[in-house]
Every structure is written in C-alpha cells, then in structure tokens.
Amino acid sequence: MRRPILAANWKMNNLTADAKKLCAGLKEELSGLRDRDIVVCPPSILISTVKDALAGTLIGFGAQNMYYKQSGAFTGELSPDMLVDAQCRYVIIGHSERRQLFAETDALVNLKVKAALEVGLTPIMCVGETKDERKAGKEKDIVGGQIRAGLKDVKFESPLGLVIAYEPIWAIGTGETATPQDAQDMHAYIRSVLTEIYGEETAGLMRIQYGGSVKPDNIDELMACEDIDGALVGGASLEAKSFARIVRFSA
Ligand code: PEP
C-alpha cells in the first residue's frame, strides 16, 4: 500500500488568529499519526504562522502556488527558493482555480513542476475535467493530456516526491463528489498514463489524491479504492475536527 497523503488547501481563507486556532486543533487531533503524510497549505502570508504553530509535529506545510523563476521582476510572485527558505516541503501546482481564474496553461504548470522539483519541493500537480467535458465523454482525453503536458520531460529522484491530485472541476466546492467508482476509474487511468511515462514500478509507487467536496462522510469509501492514495481537501479543511476525521479515514 502506498503511504497516504492528505492535504488541506485553505485557499484564500483565514487570518492569523484563525490559522493559529486551526493548527492548534490539528496538533491536538493528529500529532500521534505517523503512517501517513499530512499537509497544510495556507495562504502564503500565513506560512510562517503555520510553521510556528505546527512546530514539533509531523504535519507538513506548503504553498498553494509559486512562480517558476528564482528571482527578478515578477511583482507579486513567490519563487521556489522563497518557499524552501520558508521551510515549505510542498507546493500545489496548477489548481483548477489557477487554471480557470488566472489563465495558467499546461506549459506553465510544466515549468512550475520542474522548478519545484529542482529545489526539492514536492509538487502536488492538479488535473481535472469540467462538467461539459465529462458530459461529452472527453474526461480521460482531457486529464491524460494535462498529465502528459504537465509532466513533459519531468524527472524526479523519488516517486514519493511528486503527487498528482485528480480534482474534477465540477466537484470542487459544489458538494457534488465523484462516485468512488468514477474516481477509481479515473485514478486507474491516470496510473496507466504514469506507467507509459515512467514505467510500471515507478507509477505503482506514485501517489494520486482525489479532490472535490471530500468530507468526513465520504472519505472512507474514497480511500477504500485501490488507486486513491489520499485527498486534497478545500472546504472541509477549514475546520480542525472535520479535516482530522478525513486524515483519520478508515478504509
Ligand atoms: C480544493 O480546493 O482543491 C478542493 C477540492 O475544494 P473542496 O474540497 O472544497 O471541493
């Protein structure tokens, strides 16, 4: 079994006091867990607050985005080195909100994934189809295309150092979750694409998270699926007890 990875994406939510309270709750609920990776991705301005609040725990943290250049005239952006300097271990790349609202392309996602790996960050690369694409039966073409383009010429030392998050766009923040069967089908397909790129052994070790309205009451059935290795959680990660229950899934 692959080591599960459960990640919280706070998106553009929480102020300093909320972050401290939420981390204190997670610390209380989750500090003893050693058999899975737990990740918190706050807004970048709260990374140092989260770092201090989670000190002494095994809960990791990361950013929700970064640019691919190391320095220069890129107003408003953060570099890979800056995230390392802030002691991040993870970075979410190509979230559908970045793709849809900030026009991020597969080519940019590819540059960011490479830049993250270069400095030793673990990218969580997001892929997923829209409702219309699924209705038209194109979901595998879309997701397969995103994986191939996002991972073009991407090499890594450890298969654990790159995570894929399958997040059907129609399921994000809508309360509508993919059925475990639909999610499993797509995860198995993603693994087959990873097998084409990296070979069976490496693809078999890589972790693929599901994201899209994951909640305490649907995590167990999702995690029971063979190719679902974790979750990327938005809304339900904003409350310590509910994220802790997701992290403590029983499959
Ligand atoms: C996300 O932010 O990646 C996400 C899946 O959000 P939610 O869990 O709220 O659907």
Side-chain angles (χ1 to χ4, degrees), residues 9 11 95 97 167 171-174 211-215 232-236:
N9 173 15
K11 309 195 188 193
H95 190 281
E97 286 149 20
E167 300 205 304
I172 298 180
T174 58
S213 297
V214 171
K215 303 269 183 289
L232 180 56
V233 187

Side-chain angles (χ1 to χ4, degrees), residues 93-96 99 106 109 124-129 142-148 150 164-169 172 186 190 208-209 211:
I93 304 277
H95 190 281
S96 63
R99 292 175 187 260
D106 284 329
V109 168
I124 298 177
M125 185 181 96
C126 302
V127 295
E129 81 286 358
I142 297 293
V143 170
Q146 290 170 336
I147 298 272
R148 287 187 184 91
I164 306 293
Y166 168 57
E167 300 205 304
I169 293 168
I172 298 180
M186 183 60 90
I190 291 172
I208 309 171
Q209 296 176 311

Side-chain angles (χ1 to χ4, degrees), residues 6 21 64 89 124 138 158-159 190 221 225 228 230:
L6 295 304
K21 194 170 156 218
Q64 298 172 15
R89 225 181 313 148
I124 298 177
K138 291 187 184 153
S158 161
I190 291 172
E221 52 181 5
C225 298
I228 299 184

Side-chain angles (χ1 to χ4, degrees), residues 44-108:
S44 296
I45 201 162
L46 293 174
I47 286 173
S48 119
T49 303
V50 164
K51 179 183 85 176
D52 292 346
L54 294 178
T57 74
L58 293 172
I59 304 174
F61 58 90
Q64 298 172 15
N65 181 34
M66 61 164 214
Y67 200 48
Y68 68 95
K69 298 272 193 183
Q70 284 299 7
S71 63
F74 303 103
T75 302
E77 295 292 328
L78 295 176
S79 75
D81 272 350
M82 288 172 186
L83 299 190
V84 172
D85 190 44
Q87 294 174 28
C88 290
R89 225 181 313 148
Y90 300 87
V91 58
I92 299 173
I93 304 277
H95 190 281
S96 63
E97 286 149 20
R98 301 290 322 165
R99 292 175 187 260
Q100 292 198 314
L101 303 174
F102 301 98
E104 289 202 5
T105 60
D106 284 329
L108 182 59

